[in-house]
Amino acid sequence: MLTIFTVPKPFEGHSNIIQRNALKSWSLLSSDYEIILFGNEKGTAEICAEFGFKHVPELERNEFGSPLLSSAFNKTREIAKNKFIVSLT
């Protein structure tokens, strides 16, 4: 049906609360939805394990260390099991 992907911030402080709430709501979607989180920021692997999401730690970054959304789109196209993909940030 649909693959949703995102590149979360580190799961710390207020960002932890906001992201955790959003991801919890995504986990309640039907099993037709695939959720992919990119990056190796603090807590990403743990949240994927908790909610059963796919985790892809490798992500291209620019010279300043910021993750490239184009890299996440390209990787999602390669690995998604659904035809339609969307990025939610």
Side-chain angles (χ1 to χ4, degrees), residues 17-81:
I17 295 167
I18 293 169
Q19 294 180 133
R20 179 174 281 283
N21 287 342
L23 295 171
K24 174 66 176 173
S25 70
W26 297 1
S27 74
L28 300 174
L29 295 170
S30 77
S31 61
D32 292 337
Y33 288 81
E34 175 184 33
I35 313 294
I36 304 172
L37 274 62
F38 284 91
N40 58 2
E41 312 305 335
K42 179 181 178 184
T44 303
E46 293 80 5
I47 202 87
C48 286
E50 180 179 337
F51 289 121
F53 298 155
K54 187 177 289 184
H55 179 222
V56 180
E58 312 86 29
L59 187 63
E60 290 180 57
R61 296 176 180 268
N62 66 18
E63 65 272 18
F64 304 106
S66 301
L68 297 175
L69 188 57
S70 60
S71 175
F73 263 107
N74 291 336
K75 187 66 175 175
T76 300
R77 284 186 193 107
E78 290 175 17
I79 66 173
K81 62 182 181 180

